[in-house]
Amino acid sequence: RQMCIRDRNNNIILANMTADLLLSLSEQILEYVASSSLLICSGIIENKEEEVIMAFENKGFNLLKMKKNNAWIALLLKYR
C-alpha cells in the first residue's frame, strides 16, 4: 500500500524501489521536496547506484551517504 502526500514541505522522502523506477519517477519526486529535504532511496541493485546518483545530482541533490548490504544499495541524498 502506498501513501502520497502532495506537499512541497516534506522533510524526508522514503523510496524503496528499483533503480529503474527511481529514474523514471525522478521528476515526480521533485514535486514533493522542499529545500534541504532528505531523500532515502533503497532497493537499488549493485552496479546501478552510479546511474541513480548522477540522475539525482543533476536534479539538485547531493549524496550524503551510501550503504551496501550484499548486492543492495541504499542512498541518503539531500536537496539543495
Side-chain angles (χ1 to χ4, degrees):
R1 183 173 172 173
Q2 297 177 354
M3 183 177 96
C4 292
I5 300 171
R6 292 192 180 264
D7 186 350
R8 282 194 164 266
N9 296 318
N10 297 301
N11 293 322
I12 300 174
I13 298 170
L14 304 173
N16 183 21
M17 55 186 72
T18 64
D20 291 336
L21 278 172
L22 283 167
L23 294 170
S24 68
L25 295 173
S26 61
E27 282 297 321
Q28 289 89 338
I29 289 172
L30 286 176
E31 296 174 19
Y32 300 95
V33 299
S35 181
S36 299
S37 290
L38 295 175
L39 173 61
I40 301 170
C41 302
S42 60
I44 303 165
I45 196 77
E46 190 176 38
N47 298 324
K48 289 284 215 168
E49 72 272 12
E50 288 301 322
E51 187 177 357
V52 173
I53 292 166
M54 286 179 53
F56 280 97
E57 285 181 339
N58 287 336
K59 292 183 177 7
F61 286 87
N62 294 313
L63 179 65
L64 298 180
K65 189 171 185 176
M66 179 170 55
K67 183 155 181 140
K68 182 178 175 185
N69 184 2
N70 297 319
W72 296 100
I73 307 290
L75 305 173
L76 174 60
L77 301 121
K78 185 174 182 177
Y79 189 67
R80 301 181 209 168

